[in-house]
């Protein structure tokens, strides 16, 4: 993994919204699925270079 992408991924993980952190581990399948889909979209945007920077929620 290129160093720049590694740094971006680390920053990305540090600023995950609290709701996503909770819902990823939720017992409710619908909450987990919503969080997984949101995380997938955010990661895809980061990898494709379209993710936001500066701590904004996506």
């Amino acid at each position: 993994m290129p160093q720049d992408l590694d740094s971006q991924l680390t920053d990305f993980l540090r600023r995950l919204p609290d709701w996503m952190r909770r819902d990823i581990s939720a017992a409710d399948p619908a909450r987990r699925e919503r969080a997984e889909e949101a995380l997938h979209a955010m990661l895809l945007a980061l990898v494709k270079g379209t993710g936001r920077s500066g701590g904004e929620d996506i």
Side-chain angles (χ1 to χ4, degrees):
M1 177 181 315
Q3 182 64 28
D4 185 49
L5 184 57
D6 184 51
S7 297
Q8 288 177 346
L9 182 56
T10 299
D11 181 53
F12 168 83
L13 292 172
R14 285 186 180 131
R15 55 188 180 82
L16 278 178
D18 287 337
W19 72 263
M20 186 176 290
R21 294 174 188 272
R22 284 188 307 270
D23 288 2
I24 284 285
S25 62
D28 177 29
R31 286 180 62 192
R32 272 197 324 271
E33 185 176 349
R34 178 183 73 143
E36 290 165 356
E37 289 174 357
L39 181 59
H40 175 262
M42 293 168 71
L43 284 169
L44 192 58
L46 177 70
V47 170
K48 289 186 174 185
T50 60
R52 299 179 191 173
S53 61
E56 300 172 29
D57 288 339
I58 296 177

